[in-house]
Each structure stands twice: as C-alpha cells, then as structure tokens.
Amino acid sequence: MSLSGRGYVGSIIKVDLSSGKMDRVTLPQRDVSMVLGGKGLGALLLYNSTSKGIDPLSPGNPLILATGPLTGTLAPSSCRFSIITKSPHTGLFLDANCGGFFGVEVKKAGFDAIIITGRADQLSIVVIDDGDLYIEEASWLKGLKTIDAEDKVKNKFGKEFRVLTIGPAGEELVPIAGIFTDQRCAGRGGAGAVMGSKNLKAIAVRGRKPITVYDPDSFEKACWRAHRRLRMHEVTARSLPVYGTVNIIETVNEAGALPTKNFKTGVFPDVWKISGYEWRKGLWKKDKACFGCPIACGKLSHSSNYVVDGPDYETLWAFGPLCGISDKDAIVYANWLCDVYGVDTISTGVIVSFVMELYERGILRSEDVDGINAEWGNSEALLRLVEKICKGDGIGRELRLGVKKLSAKYGCEDIAMHVKGLEMPGYEPRAAKGMGLGYATSDRGACHLRAYTADKELLAYGGAVDPVKKEGKAKLVVDYQNEKALIDSIGMCFFASFALSFREIGEMLTTATGLPLEDANTLRTIGERVYNLTRLFNVREGVKREDDYLPRRFLKEPMPEGPAKGSIVELDEMLDEYYALRGWYGNGVPKPETIRRLGLDEILKLEN
Amino acid sequence: MNLGKLIRLSRIIDPSDGRSLVVAADHGLMLGPIKGVVDLEATLRKVIAGRPDAILVSPGQARRLSHLFMGREAPAMLVRIDWTNAFRDKTYTLPARSIQFNRVTTVKEAVKIGASGVVTYLFLGFDREEEHAAMVEEFSIECKTWSMPLIIEPLPMGPRITKANYVDMVKRAVGKAVELGADALKVPYTGDPYSFKDVIEVASGVPVLVLGGYKALSIRDSLEVVSEVLDAGAAGVVFGRNIVQDPNPDEAVRLMRRIIHGKETVTDILREKIKPPVRILVDVEKCSGCHICEFACSFIHEKVFNSSLARLRIEAFEDGRMFTPYVCTLCYSCVNACPNGALRVNSKTGAVEVSPELCQGCGVCVNVCPARVLKLINGRILSCDLCDGLPECVKWCSRSALRVEGGW
C-alpha cells in the first residue's frame, strides 16, 4: 500500500545543481514508517547518502528539506519542516526546524521533501511551480538582504510563491548563517552557508494540489479535539498567544537561570524592563501566526524604518541579559540586522558577549575591536559588533566564525560558551541541570530544543522538579530528547505539543497515514530511533564522550548568586547514567544491541 | 458502602440518573486570588442560581459561606481537605520547584461543617508518592469512621510524567485511587473518548467525574467536553474556572445541567440561538493570518486540504503584516445576477444555495461577488452554506476573529 495521499504526497524531488538535473523519486515506504518524516527522514537520507568526513561546504553534502505527515493539515500548528544537512559550524549532524508557510507549499506542490546536492556555476534559484520545475540564474539576487530577496522573487514569479532564501551571510559561507522564509528562520548551525556553497540563493515554491489524509472524518475529529485542547491549556491559550516566547523570561530569571554577561551569573536585575508585559504595551503591534497555528506566538515589532518578527525569547536573551543590555530598541535593531543579513541571533549574541568578557579581562582592547568600547551593557557596542558580524566588516570577519574558533585564537576556552562548536542558548546549566545535560548530549551542539527540560525544572508545567539537583535528570533528558525527535519528525510545532499527549498526537497520525501509530510507546520508540540515528551520524564523524561536554565555567565555577548559588554541573555522573539509559557504551557510542533493537541496522548503511 | 456514605453520596450524584454537576470553587487555596474566586460569595450566588448538584470549597470558605448550603434546593457541600503547591506554574511569583502537599483539615471537621463529601489529591510520578498515598490512606480510614464519601483526584504529576506516558499514568493513578478506597473520582480528561473509556474501565464502577482545568475559549468548547466524557461513561464533571470565570456562571451551569441531566446534545443547545440570517462577523485586528479557517472549510466540504476550495479567504496586506478574512456577507448580489435563477436563499440560515440542475456554470455570480469568495471550480459553484447555521470557520478560529452575530 502506497503512502501517497495519506498525509504524505509520496514523492521526493532530487535537485542536482551541478548538472541541473531534477528527479522525482518515490518516498521509501518502509523507511518512512520507521522515521515518519521531517528530522527523522532527513537524518536517514543524510546518513545513507554521505560518507564519513564529507566537507559540509562541498557539493556532495546534501541540503535536505523535509516535511512531516501532518504538515499542511488541520492538526494544530502543523506547518513545520526541517532542514537537514551536515553543519559547517559543528562539522556534525544538523537539523534546523522552521515554521511559516514554506513547508506547506512544498507539499501542495507535490513533494514531501527536497534534496539538493551539487553546486551551480552561478548564483541560482530553484523554482517549483506546482508540477513545473526549473533552475534559473539569480545574479539579480546577489548580495540582497533576505527580505529584499524574498520580495524580488515574489515580484518576479508571483505573490503566491513562498520563498526560502539566504542573506548575504549565507552567500559568504558564514558558518552561523541561517535560512529564512517569511521572516522566520531555520537559524542554527549554518544551513545558510551550505545553501550558499551550492550557489543557491533561493527556492521559490507554489503549489495547487490538495493535501489528503487516510481517514478524513476521523482525522477531523482528532484534529478538532487537539485544537480544543490547545485552547484549554495555559501555555498554548494564554502565555504564548499574549506574550510570545518571552512570557517565561522573568520566571527563568527568578530561578537564577537567565544567563547574564556571558554566563557569569544567572540573575539579570533589569529583567523587568524587557518582560513580555513591557513588549506587549510597547513595541509589539501585531500577532502573526505560522500556517495553521492557533497560538500565533510571533509578535511583530514596529520601528520607524522596519518591522521585525520578534524578538523571541532566545533573541531577546542573547542581545539582552547575555550582554547585560535592557535597551529594547537596540535589541530589536540587532534582531533585524541578523534577520536581513541572514545570521543566527543566538550565535551572534553569544559571540558578542564573549567579546565583551574578553574586553573586561583585558584580552581584547578597544583597538583590537575596531575602536569599540565593548563594555557590558553598552548597547551601541552591541549594535556595532552585530553589524560587523553581519557584514563581515573589520573584526566581524573573524567574529562571525563563532566562539569556538575565537577561543582557539585568544585562549579562554573555559568561557567560550558552546558545545561541539554551536553557541549556547538561554538557560543556565548550573541552575537547570537537565538543560545542561541536554546541551552536552544534543545532536547538533548546544541546543535547548533537543530536551526542553526547562518546562519541568523552571516553569513547573505538570509537576515540579528541583532544577539544581542532578538526580533523575538523565532519565528526564532521554525521555524529552526522544519525544522531541518524534515531534520534529511529524511536521507539528513543539509549542503545540505542550498541550498534547502522545495519545492525542497518535490519533492524528494514525488517521492521517493509516499507519499503526496510536500507541504512545510506538511513537516514543520512533523518537528514540531518530535520536540514535543522529547519534550514529555523529559517531561516524568521530564524536565521543569528550565531545559531550560543557564549557569549564559550568563544571568548575560555582554559580555566584541566586537560587542556584554554589551550584556546579556534575556532568560526568549524569553522563554515565545517561549513556546507560540510552544503551550506549561509556564512551558514548550506541551498543550493537541498541542499534538492532531500534531496527537501525535495517535502514542504515552501516559500515560493519 | 455503608448507609451514611450512601446517603451523603446521593446528595452529590443524583440517584435518579447517576449523574452529577459539581462546581469547583476551591482554587483560592491552591492558586490564590484568581478571577472568579475573589468575591466568592457573589460568584457562588450566581452559580447556585443555575442549580449545580454540589460545590467544592476549601474548609475556610465552607465555614464562611455555610449559609449558601442551607435549604432544600441548596447544593451539597464538598470540602477540599488537602493542599498542594503543584499547580503554581510560572504565572505565579513563586513557581513550585518541588512538590509539597499536606492536609488542611480532618474528616471529622468536615462532618461538623456539614460536608457531604471530602476531596483529596493523589499524585503519581514524583518522588514522594508513598507519603502521599499514606496521607490519602489516613483520609480513607477517617472517611470510613465518619461515613463520609471520599472523592480522590488522581493526577499524574511530577518529573516522571511525559507526553508519551501521560495517558498510561492517568490510568495507573485512577487504579491506585480505587485501591485506596475512593467513593468517587475526580479525573483529568485524557483528550479523546477512546482512551478515556479505558480510564473508566480502570475505575471499576467507581463514579468518574471529570475535572475542567483551564478555562476554555468558549462555553461551546467546554460543553463539548462535558458531552464527550459523558458519552465515554463518566458520571459528570467537576468544573471550576469554566463556570466561575464565565461572564454568566448561572447560565453556564444551566447549559451544563441540560447536557448532564437533561441529556441534550451540544448541537441542540447551539442551534437554539440560530436566527436567520446567520451572519459571520469579522474582526480584522484579531486575525493572525493562520489560514485555519480556509483549511477547515475546505476539509469539511471537500475532504481535502486546499485553500482554493474554501468558501472564504484570508488576504495578507503590507507584506504579510496585516490579514483580512473575507467571508460571504449575504449581500445576495450573486442571487440577483444569476441569469438562470440557479441561486436561492436558504430560509433557515440565509445562506446562498446553488441548484445544480439550473446552474449552467456561466460564472456571472462569481464575477459580481464583492468579497470574491464565490468560486467556480470545474463547472461547480462553491458557495458558503454557513454549515447549516454552525459555521466551521467560526468554530475553528481560536482568536475569535470570526464569530456569528448573536451566537456563542
């Protein structure tokens, strides 16, 4: 039985930019039933189509865009697609998940996924106009900001097109460059540079095909119950719709877990100046939803010259507390710069805060950073540094390489806030140890969204757990990573899943696909399979226990103040427990029996 | 069950139909001064006007408001006998970092203040499960001594609960509550009737009342939940915020009563308000551009997801920063323009109807539609039928950007 028309379209488009060839291939049904779509499908395709050590910026590294079975349906907030590739920033697995409208359009155009390989001779654009596919040269888009490129493409091909694009930073192969659509961003890990390395500026998609499901009547009922559930849940009905992701910032600060001044402390005294309430009554003028999302966490900030979709929590934190800054206008402008030049806001903020700490220590002086007075809290310094990073101007050429490379040059590795090369997001590991273990074991480097244990440790949804204790955190992280890997593989937004159990999600998946997915344990196993799959990719690249590590600051410097005062992360103890629960050896490599139990030996081209 | 318990329980669950509508008003103890419970007496006076079977209050409020529970028509009194901090999430100044609980009164005291039943939590999934179970066991023994019905509220709570195991943990918690001697249960809805039937099976005949939780977007949503859980076999509900935070608590209670005791359907109740023409109103400011209405419309009518088959449309302006829904405004330009008389107005709803026999597919109507929502696809006219008076686009809009004039 084919999956076509059952949540899936049943077809993948392969684009080889070197030859200009485009091939449709059938969605591999057995593989899909084991990893579903999105992250899982992308990871599987990436693993099997590459070999160890492939250069992320080489033509052979595929850039994979994958939707899930729920993308473009009435399931709540199901607009998501994943971009999967080998990261130029970490040299490891990367999946970057994005909302907006693009993923839905890909499906309407008749594809579950797009695989792009090769390198075009000149800057190009891939156009998918329903059944009509072609590659065009795009020198007319060269050097354009993301929003301008998107506008120009729409003007040329039609307003109904949905456009995925990189900014100048992606064209310049900056390792922190993201991929943008509709002011939303698949930001982390440098997918924009991979796209740039292929000489691909944009992908424009327009589709007119209907999306269908296996059992429409049951699917409608399951979706409606899920929507109703979101409307009755505090997070999805109150917090996110009103204050966006910023709703949590004061709570995180109260727990002493709001990383401030490059993670020197977890307490930011000026947090009240940048609370959700302040944004709501100030710069935010409009709620903006992704396709099919009843939450609408997107908030548009209006300034005299530009409009920004944001800032979200992470961006606000990275340009705010992390740099000791509470100047809202500066934060919005920094957000805008990153969005239009096309770089990741989290990495950019962490780089700026690293510079500020080096400046404080006297390792960098004003003359080393183009005359900028890089003091904590100096919003002008923030903007000048962000602009230089975005434009690759002066010191910016070096800064945009990320804190791992900077720390290799300047020393101070203990305060370079990254894991595996990816800059760290906005939860302090010493004040929320599950988050710490989650960063250390995340498949793409320091990421808060691989195991968002903050909801139990800091926000107390559905039950509290002492954030400073290490006990039980390994189990929590394993469960959360598996569950998140499942969510990232079905096309639904993580935020919608706050209100839903796997039983409810399973009901939607089963009625959409006809596959036997109603059992929560089946879904958890799929998540576990996907997480082990990405681990195997990283292990093939040489990742070991030593790489599952946190910066020394968290392991040796006790938290100076706040509720977590005196705390350090007992990472090694948690790691031992984590590996044991995962069925991995003590060196972090999955055991053969784990690989077999999850059926990964059947779908992966393993070397031995 | 002993006689005293039976008599008291009959005040909570109506013996004539085995069903119950309890209004929870004990939030002040756990959540603090939330909307609806600040001037509790005023709220409860309205609630009582709707005639609930019982009201759940804290011991202090039970004493203070004892006069509300006197008289033959008065509701039965349920008393919360324990406290926990577990519901203090990030919206509180002091979010819970570890789960605390304790008893706040004795069953003997509940007898003295006139309670017909006592309510306690039972958490499963955190590190002090044994202590919690021991406390509930004490309550159970006291309840036996005093012939007081014990209503246990089993909840998955704490670090071991995840999305994947939630439903399973509800079942386990319910099972444990039954073992500890619950005379009735206050249970969270698992979200779908299939898994909830399993939960009710685990309850092994102990009456299951379903709790409400956060306030629903509309009374329509909460009525649907009530109806769904009753169908799955629940004996009724214990709803708090969905009643006490409603602008008209008495009306909310009355409507729920009609479903619980009157066995009416939600559709019956919603239809009462339908008067032609059913006009869909648009609030442009509230629209976030999610397009759910288009997909709902397309799916309900055509069984596929395709915005171009929807009978309404969302247009984006200012580079996608403003959104405007366009719906059929019942202007009837199309009806007047049709050269074949193929369009007519439905007398029940006011919607434009197409007669396939008369329609020649000329498209004149499409061209005169000022909202541009009338469509001609493959020779077929797609017109808004207002979903027979209960428009699906309105139902699915979570932001109330679309609503029915005078409707829910």
Side-chain angles (χ1 to χ4, degrees):
Chain A
M1 193 164 50
S2 158
L3 286 171
S4 173
R6 295 160 45 189
Y8 299 93
V9 183
S11 160
I12 297 176
I13 180 78
K14 284 184 164 178
V15 180
D16 179 3
L17 289 167
S18 298
S19 65
K21 263 183 62 181
M22 297 202 233
D23 291 320
R24 277 167 217 262
V25 294
T26 306
L27 194 67
Q29 177 168 352
R30 187 193 57 154
D31 292 357
V32 165
S33 68
M34 289 181 77
V35 294
L36 298 187
K39 172 177 182 157
L41 178 62
L44 181 60
L45 294 167
L46 178 71
Y47 191 101
N48 284 340
S49 67
T50 54
S51 46
K52 176 183 173 145
I54 186 169
D55 177 357
L57 298 180
S58 69
N61 182 26
L63 183 73
I64 302 167
L65 286 80
T67 66
L70 297 182
T71 309
T73 69
L74 260 185
S77 315
S78 289
C79 57
R80 311 294 293 191
F81 66 103
S82 288
I83 296 179
I84 301 97
T85 190
K86 186 176 174 184
S87 162
H89 199 38
T90 63
L92 301 172
F93 174 80
L94 171 66
D95 70 305
N97 189 284
C98 188
F101 293 77
F102 188 83
V104 179
E105 208 66 26
V106 170
K107 237 165 136 171
K108 282 159 69 183
F111 302 104
D112 295 297
I114 305 174
I115 305 174
I116 296 162
T117 53
R119 177 182 288 149
D121 297 338
Q122 50 191 340
L123 197 64
S124 299
I125 176 171
V126 169
V127 181
I128 302 175
D129 187 1
D130 219 23
D132 203 11
L133 293 90
Y134 49 98
I135 303 167
E136 269 195 12
E137 73 82 30
S139 56
W140 47 282
L141 292 173
K142 192 168 174 52
L144 286 186
K145 297 187 179 85
T146 53
I147 45 170
D148 297 339
E150 194 167 327
D151 271 358
K152 268 200 148 179
V153 172
K154 284 185 175 175
N155 285 338
K156 177 168 168 146
F157 295 101
K159 286 277 173 219
E160 319 83 74
F161 274 87
R162 298 292 179 180
V163 184
L164 194 71
T165 178
I166 53 173
E171 290 180 56
E172 291 156 21
L173 313 186
V174 177
I176 60 166
I179 297 179
F180 292 73
T181 176
D182 222 350
Q183 294 203 327
R184 294 211 150 243
C185 175
R188 309 230 65 202
V194 175
M195 193 158 153
S197 75
K198 303 196 172 317
N199 250 332
L200 181 62
K201 175 72 178 180
I203 305 173
V205 182
R206 172 169 66 179
R208 297 196 175 88
K209 296 182 181 66
I211 295 166
T212 58
V213 292
Y214 174 72
D215 177 353
D217 292 335
S218 307
F219 184 69
E220 184 218 318
K221 289 192 181 73
C223 288
W224 170 243
R225 285 194 295 266
H227 272 264
R228 207 177 53 202
R229 197 75 154 174
L230 261 68
R231 292 152 76 143
M232 294 179 89
H233 193 278
E234 202 276 329
V235 181
T236 47
R238 310 273 188 293
S239 307
L240 287 170
V242 179
Y243 299 116
T245 54
V246 175
N247 76 80
I248 59 172
I249 196 161
E250 286 167 297
T251 314
V252 174
N253 190 55
E254 267 161 31
L258 186 64
T260 299
K261 297 184 178 174
N262 201 36
F263 292 81
K264 280 169 69 169
T265 172
V267 180
F268 184 59
D270 285 346
V271 71
W272 61 275
K273 293 183 186 168
I274 51 169
S275 69
Y277 176 76
E278 291 295 317
W279 287 97
R280 192 83 236 183
K281 73 172 190 193
L283 290 162
W284 285 347
K285 304 291 186 204
K286 177 81 188 164
D287 301 340
K288 187 183 173 195
C290 293
F291 183 91
C293 180
I295 302 170
C297 73
K299 309 291 165 215
L300 298 181
S301 292
H302 284 244
S303 167
S304 46
N305 304 319
Y306 51 84
V307 178
V308 177
D309 188 340
D312 65 345
Y313 170 81
E314 287 295 330
T315 302
L316 169 60
W317 156 78
F319 295 134
L322 188 66
C323 299
I325 285 167
S326 56
D327 173 350
K328 291 205 291 291
D329 293 307
I331 291 165
V332 170
Y333 187 55
N335 189 357
W336 184 80
L337 282 171
C338 292
D339 280 3
V340 298
Y341 284 92
V343 297
D344 174 20
T345 52
I346 300 178
S347 287
T348 304
V350 174
I351 293 166
V352 171
S353 82
F354 183 62
V355 169
M356 286 180 167
E357 188 160 5
L358 293 185
Y359 188 83
E360 180 184 52
R361 291 185 174 194
I363 295 164
L364 285 175
R365 290 155 305 166
S366 167
E367 53 265 40
D368 301 321
V369 285
D370 303 341
I372 295 168
N373 173 22
E375 277 181 334
W376 296 122
N378 182 349
S379 50
E380 197 206 321
L382 167 77
L383 293 180
R384 288 189 62 195
L385 287 166
V386 170
E387 193 160 2
K388 282 174 181 293
I389 291 168
C390 286
K391 293 180 176 170
D393 170 43
I395 184 77
R397 268 199 306 282
E398 185 179 298
L399 297 182
R400 65 201 333 210
L401 300 177
V403 295
K404 186 181 179 188
K405 291 201 177 74
L406 288 172
S407 68
K409 176 172 173 186
Y410 294 105
C412 300
E413 270 123 343
D414 56 327
I415 57 161
M417 293 301 154
H418 72 89
V419 174
K420 300 181 175 72
L422 187 68
E423 285 76 11
M424 201 160 274
Y427 302 85
E428 164 58 68
R430 287 167 295 188
K433 287 182 181 159
M435 293 303 287
L437 181 63
Y439 294 167
T441 58
S442 150
D443 48 17
R444 67 173 187 180
C447 176
H448 56 298
L449 290 172
R450 294 298 167 268
Y452 192 68
T453 61
D455 79 333
K456 285 222 191 292
E457 297 189 284
L458 305 174
L459 311 173
Y461 297 133
V465 46
D466 187 338
V468 182
K469 273 193 185 155
K470 64 176 189 295
E471 285 77 19
K473 296 299 166 67
K475 174 85 168 77
L476 191 60
V477 168
V478 170
D479 285 346
Y480 271 45
Q481 282 174 340
N482 292 346
E483 293 184 6
K484 182 61 178 7
L486 185 276
I487 299 295
D488 285 344
S489 299
I490 61 175
M492 177 189 275
C493 180
F494 175 53
F495 292 158
S497 79
F498 269 117
L500 300 173
S501 73
F502 268 21
R503 187 66 180 69
E504 293 163 303
I505 293 169
E507 198 68 35
M508 291 189 285
L509 283 169
T510 305
T511 51
T513 64
L515 297 169
L517 299 169
E518 59 272 88
D519 181 31
N521 286 321
T522 307
L523 297 184
R524 186 162 49 183
T525 303
I526 293 171
E528 186 184 4
R529 182 179 298 130
V530 171
Y531 210 80
N532 276 270
L533 166 49
T534 61
R535 181 68 178 186
L536 286 172
F537 182 93
N538 284 345
V539 165
R540 191 172 74 179
E541 295 296 329
V543 161
K544 289 189 292 293
R545 183 184 180 113
E546 299 87 276
D547 302 291
D548 293 343
Y549 235 63
L550 292 172
R552 237 177 89 92
R553 168 162 274 168
F554 303 126
L555 309 178
K556 300 289 177 195
E557 275 181 38
M559 175 64 93
E561 58 183 326
K565 186 173 177 178
S567 163
I568 55 162
V569 182
E570 302 92 335
L571 184 61
D572 269 315
E573 293 163 57
M574 289 196 292
L575 269 183
D576 286 336
E577 198 186 340
Y578 173 88
Y579 292 147
L581 286 167
R582 276 250 172 252
W584 297 354
Y585 292 113
N587 65 356
V589 174
K591 292 177 181 170
E593 57 261 39
T594 304
I595 295 171
R596 275 197 304 276
R597 176 172 61 81
L598 296 170
L600 284 166
D601 52 334
E602 294 166 37
I603 53 172
L604 288 185
K605 292 178 189 163
L606 296 168
E607 272 165 21
N608 41 37
Chain B
M1 207 182 287
N2 76 42
L3 204 51
K5 275 196 179 190
L6 273 176
I7 288 172
R8 289 195 171 89
L9 200 60
S10 77
R11 295 173 173 278
I12 305 164
I13 299 174
D14 190 335
S16 67
D17 60 3
R19 286 189 167 179
S20 178
L21 168 55
V22 180
V23 177
D26 60 334
H27 306 87
L29 190 59
M30 262 67 64
L31 301 179
I34 62 168
K35 185 186 163 198
V37 304
V38 178
D39 184 356
L40 192 62
E41 176 156 8
T43 305
L44 289 189
R45 281 191 184 281
K46 288 181 205 151
V47 166
I48 289 167
R51 297 210 50 224
D53 294 292
I55 296 178
L56 168 61
V57 283
S58 66
Q61 294 287 19
R63 290 185 200 101
R64 192 171 298 125
L65 303 177
S66 56
H67 51 284
L68 297 180
F69 296 93
M70 295 176 191
R72 307 200 171 197
E73 300 285 292
M77 176 201 288
L78 299 185
V79 173
R80 164 71 63 187
I81 52 175
D82 66 336
W83 166 89
T84 178
N85 68 343
F87 304 102
R88 277 207 323 239
D89 64 17
K90 64 169 185 54
T91 46
Y92 299 88
T93 321
L94 289 170
R97 301 284 180 227
S98 65
I99 296 171
Q100 307 295 324
F101 59 86
N102 63 272
R103 71 152 72 210
V104 291
T105 190
T106 59
V107 175
K108 185 178 173 184
E109 180 63 16
V111 173
K112 283 185 179 171
I113 53 185
S116 296
V118 293
V119 180
T120 177
Y121 293 111
L122 175 67
F123 294 157
L124 203 72
F126 74 132
D127 53 8
R128 292 172 63 201
E129 272 174 36
E130 296 127 45
E131 283 174 66
H132 209 173
M135 184 180 82
V136 173
E137 171 66 11
E138 274 177 31
F139 290 148
S140 182
I141 292 166
E142 286 175 41
C143 280
K144 210 170 152 214
T145 305
W146 296 101
S147 297
M148 177 66 79
L150 175 63
I151 300 172
I152 301 183
E153 185 169 354
L155 293 175
M157 184 70 70
R160 287 174 207 155
I161 308 305
T162 69
K163 292 190 230 315
N165 68 18
Y166 179 77
V167 173
D168 195 40
M169 293 302 267
V170 172
K171 281 190 231 168
R172 279 163 198 269
V174 165
K176 193 167 174 181
V178 171
E179 296 296 326
L180 284 168
D183 298 305
L185 298 155
K186 181 179 176 219
V187 178
Y189 186 35
T190 49
D192 71 278
Y194 316 108
S195 63
F196 202 66
K197 277 192 183 127
D198 297 346
V199 171
I200 287 177
E201 205 178 299
V202 174
S204 336
V206 177
V208 171
L209 304 173
V210 176
L211 62 93
Y214 285 97
K215 190 175 177 306
L217 183 73
S218 69
I219 185 84
R220 175 183 181 157
D221 288 11
S222 41
L223 292 177
E224 274 191 20
V225 171
V226 174
S227 170
E228 219 168 271
V229 298
L230 291 172
D231 286 348
V237 299
V238 184
F239 271 23
R241 282 162 277 183
N242 281 297
I243 292 170
V244 300
Q245 295 186 342
D246 195 277
N248 304 304
D250 49 336
E251 179 71 2
V253 174
R254 265 183 220 114
L255 294 175
M256 285 184 195
R257 260 199 88 85
R258 286 172 60 185
I259 291 173
I260 293 169
H261 293 298
K263 312 228 163 41
E264 292 182 59
T265 69
V266 181
T267 319
D268 290 342
I269 291 175
L270 294 174
R271 283 203 185 286
E272 280 175 12
K273 283 213 177 188
I274 300 173
K275 288 187 289 287
V278 178
R279 206 176 287 281
I280 299 173
L281 303 179
V282 172
D283 187 336
V284 175
E285 282 300 313
K286 285 184 179 160
C287 180
S288 65
C290 72
H291 296 258
I292 288 174
C293 52
E294 289 179 357
F295 258 32
C297 184
S298 139
F299 201 62
I300 298 302
H301 293 100
E302 310 290 335
K303 304 286 180 203
V304 301
F305 297 109
N306 188 344
S307 292
S308 60
L309 299 177
R311 278 75 162 162
L312 79 170
R313 65 190 174 89
I314 303 296
E315 197 163 316
F317 297 100
E318 295 176 36
D319 297 331
R321 286 165 203 148
M322 280 301 291
F323 316 96
T324 305
Y326 289 94
V327 299
C328 175
T329 59
L330 309 181
C331 73
Y332 305 132
S333 307
C334 50
V335 177
N336 299 330
C338 179
N340 304 308
L343 301 177
R344 59 173 179 267
V345 178
N346 180 303
S347 58
K348 203 171 106 201
T349 60
V352 173
E353 281 178 343
V354 187
S355 160
E357 298 81 39
L358 299 175
C359 178
Q360 306 283 318
C362 68
V364 168
C365 54
V366 174
N367 294 331
V368 300
C369 177
R372 290 193 288 123
V373 292
L374 204 60
K375 287 167 184 168
L376 177 62
I377 306 237
N378 299 331
R380 190 162 67 101
I381 294 292
L382 307 185
S383 69
C384 172
D385 59 1
L386 291 164
C387 301
D388 204 20
L390 296 173
E392 292 284 338
C393 51
V394 172
K395 165 178 150 179
W396 287 81
C397 180
S398 287
R399 303 179 60 86
S400 310
L402 300 175
R403 62 188 182 86
V404 172
E405 190 177 38
W408 298 105

